[in-house]
Amino acid sequence: MRNSEDIWHLVDAKKDDFIALSDRVWGMPELAYTEFKSCNEHLETLQKEGFRITRDVAGIPTAVTGEAGESGPVIAILGEYDALPGLSQEAGVAEYRPIEGNGFGHGCGHNLLGSAALLAATAVKDYLETNGIKGRVRYYGCPAEEGGAAKGFMVRAGAFDDVDMAITWHPAAFSQVHEPKSLANTRIDFHFTGRASHAAAAPHLGRSALDAVELMSVGVNYMREHMPSDARVHYAFLDAGGIAPNVVQASATVRYLIRGRDLVDLNQLIARVRKIAEGAALMTETKVTAKVVSAVSNLIGNTPLERAMDDAFKRLGPPDFDDADRAFAAKIQSTLTDGDIQAAFRRVGLPVTKGLPLCDQIVPLDQHGEAMVGSTDVGDVSWAVPTVQAHGATYAIGTPGHSWQLTAQGKMPAAHKGMVHVAKVMASTAIAALLDETLIPRAKADHQARLKDTPYVSPLPNDIDPPLEMSKIA
Ligand SMILES: [Zn+2]
């Protein structure tokens, strides 16, 4: 790592505070839309650093922004801080050891995600102040990335209307500009209503909502063969109608998560799943209602910004992991399968290298691997404004997303080095946009060209609000 630029010194000057912030958030894992303590940690840091605060963004109590600087372009830097259920895990051990009495955990590294983004925003603020440059940097504390689509609601509420470009990142095995591929998705709750009756004495009078849910699953499973190969459909039972087998189940609810390559594919798939639900209701003489819980768009890229970020990565070089970092990462790798590790290399298009526990390079921009098939609510921001994302190496190569191994690595020195490293890349990309007056216009032209034939239409129906209660079901 070559610390040659002023902006990188500004990141280093405050890194300890932000490593501590990341560790505190790791220690208070909170689920989507309930990140009150984590959001407050970010809010207090924004206040301490002198940002101008906006709370309750888009009516979401755990969404906050902080702005600094005057006039000029507005550069958004996006952070997250939500955790996941079932991923409680002690830090710094390479064996499954959940922390007793606490089922949540930072199994996606969002403790690092928020802190590094806020560190980058703080360094840009300090740079603007020191150099008297016109321009604004705005940190977005975004809740509920895990299934809550908060950024989509923030876009819909106009929170990005005056933004010129957005920068964010995600913890990863390798350092590189993130290839902008992700699936559009939606979560829809299908609620079936039937008629209860004694299951032995009067079964002919009952109409089973649970049967309807089961038939819907059968129908969707038959559909799978005839849908695009990159589409995905998953489901979870929210209400199976109760615990009494001798009562015909009068109500049942199933949540479907439907993913498509883009919004066009997704909407076609949603229409088919809705028909199957109606078919199941028809077969069972039950009634069905469908309620959209959340939805996100696929990501779109931005070539000028990706090139600018790649330049920053190349100037900085890879993170300085040491032998102790590699030794612990190797221990984590010993808990993984060969398949996990091979998939990590294939994902970024690199040859599988045995005995390489941590990233030792910047993966080139033109290196294309097997695209990720997850989804992110950054997708909607990328349709609203030119957006670029980094992947920052913070964990052992092969670590699966949403795993105890990922939680275990979230407070390690390698994670801290990775978050400071990627904060430098993000801050440097923002400074490039402020110093090169052609970059934002080029980014906007690229963005408009991508939207020419398919303008952005929010996948969130107008009549739904952020699902603030969604984690109560989880
Ligand atoms: Zn994540």
Side-chain angles (χ1 to χ4, degrees):
M1 194 162 69
R2 296 175 288 273
N3 261 328
S4 53
E5 298 182 13
D6 290 349
I7 185 68
W8 297 338
H9 294 141
L10 292 171
V11 171
D12 278 333
K14 291 188 176 168
K15 68 179 180 183
D16 291 344
D17 283 355
F18 290 82
I19 288 170
L21 171 67
S22 173
D23 286 357
R24 286 198 301 280
V25 171
W26 186 96
M28 52 177 75
E30 298 168 297
L31 301 186
Y33 291 118
T34 66
E35 314 91 334
F36 296 102
K37 287 185 284 182
S38 307
C39 180
N40 199 48
E41 290 285 348
H42 281 243
L43 179 72
E44 284 179 0
T45 306
L46 286 165
Q47 284 170 330
K48 185 177 153 218
E49 289 293 341
F51 284 87
R52 300 184 291 273
I53 311 281
T54 303
R55 298 167 198 252
D56 294 331
V57 180
I60 302 170
T62 54
V64 64
T65 63
E67 185 183 278
E70 299 299 334
S71 63
V74 177
I75 297 177
I77 303 185
L78 317 180
E80 299 165 10
Y81 29 66
D82 56 326
L84 286 153
L87 288 174
S88 167
Q89 165 66 31
E90 257 181 53
V93 293
E95 62 177 296
Y96 178 52
R97 215 188 283 167
I99 300 168
E100 207 178 341
N102 181 356
F104 308 156
H106 271 287
C108 204
H110 294 183
N111 56 308
L112 298 162
L113 204 171
S115 296
L118 186 43
L119 172 55
T122 302
V124 174
K125 167 186 73 76
D126 293 346
Y127 188 95
L128 291 170
E129 275 169 24
T130 312
N131 294 283
I133 292 172
K134 281 193 167 56
R136 282 171 283 166
V137 61
R138 192 182 298 152
Y139 172 73
Y140 283 71
C142 306
E145 193 280 331
E146 301 289 357
K151 294 186 198 72
F153 288 102
M154 291 161 79
V155 168
R156 197 183 70 175
F160 290 88
D161 283 358
D162 65 343
V163 169
D164 291 283
M165 59 176 275
I167 303 171
T168 188
W169 78 290
H170 201 284
F174 291 96
S175 293
Q176 63 181 144
V177 179
H178 174 51
E179 197 180 348
K181 283 188 178 164
S182 73
L183 300 177
N185 82 28
T186 188
R187 283 168 165 73
I188 304 179
D189 290 351
F190 291 92
H191 177 66
F192 290 87
T193 312
R195 195 187 316 137
S197 73
H198 194 295
H204 59 293
L205 298 179
R207 294 293 179 268
S208 171
L210 181 57
D211 286 357
V213 167
E214 291 192 79
L215 284 166
M216 181 179 172
S217 300
V218 171
V220 169
N221 287 337
Y222 272 93
M223 183 190 73
R224 288 180 200 279
E225 188 187 345
H226 309 287
M227 61 186 205
S229 58
D230 42 12
R232 301 281 185 276
V233 185
H234 335 284
Y235 60 93
F237 281 47
L238 302 190
D239 169 20
I243 59 165
N246 59 350
V247 178
V248 172
Q249 289 82 0
S251 78
T253 309
V254 61
R255 174 167 294 171
Y256 267 80
L257 170 47
I258 306 162
R259 306 188 203 241
R261 184 182 50 193
D262 53 28
L263 289 176
V264 175
D265 270 20
L266 177 66
N267 285 329
Q268 288 172 359
L269 211 54
I270 291 170
R272 294 171 72 188
V273 173
R274 284 179 185 270
K275 278 185 196 164
I276 291 168
E278 284 159 19
L282 193 63
M283 281 189 279
T284 51
E285 296 189 323
T286 57
K287 288 200 166 59
V288 64
T289 56
K291 182 170 179 282
V292 175
V293 178
S294 64
V296 302
S297 302
N298 54 301
L299 276 170
I300 59 170
N302 192 280
T303 305
L305 294 185
E306 284 150 21
R307 291 210 178 113
M309 178 175 271
D310 187 52
D311 285 347
F313 263 123
K314 285 196 284 213
R315 292 197 308 275
L316 185 61
D320 288 333
F321 297 125
D322 62 20
D323 287 345
D325 299 328
R326 283 185 282 273
F328 181 71
K331 275 193 197 170
I332 289 284
Q333 278 191 330
S334 72
T335 72
L336 308 175
T337 65
D338 287 348
D340 290 328
I341 295 168
Q342 287 159 9
F345 284 96
R346 277 205 295 271
R347 212 170 288 134
V348 294
L350 289 177
V352 178
T353 309
K354 285 206 159 167
L356 182 68
L358 283 168
C359 175
D360 63 349
Q361 61 178 298
I362 302 299
V363 180
L365 189 58
D366 56 4
Q367 188 86 48
H368 296 296
E370 294 170 6
M372 75 170 265
V373 289
S375 306
T376 168
D377 62 2
V378 177
D380 292 277
V381 180
S382 78
W383 282 83
V385 295
T387 300
V388 65
Q389 270 193 92
H391 267 180
T394 59
Y395 54 72
I397 296 167
T399 308
H402 299 190
S403 64
W404 67 260
Q405 288 94 338
L406 215 152
T407 312
Q409 296 173 77
K411 286 207 296 186
M412 296 303 287
H416 296 154
K417 287 173 193 170
M419 69 163 264
V420 173
H421 178 266
V422 80
K424 289 180 181 176
V425 170
M426 289 190 287
S428 202
T429 307
I431 298 303
L434 292 167
L435 297 184
D436 174 357
E437 285 178 5
T438 72
L439 181 51
I440 288 176
R442 283 187 284 121
K444 286 186 172 175
D446 179 287
H447 188 251
Q448 274 159 16
R450 289 169 196 262
L451 266 65
K452 195 166 131 291
D453 296 326
T454 50
Y456 175 61
V457 178
S458 173
L460 296 165
N462 282 332
D463 59 350
I464 70 162
D465 294 324
L468 302 181
E469 306 284 314
M470 65 178 281
S471 293
K472 288 199 175 149
I473 299 162

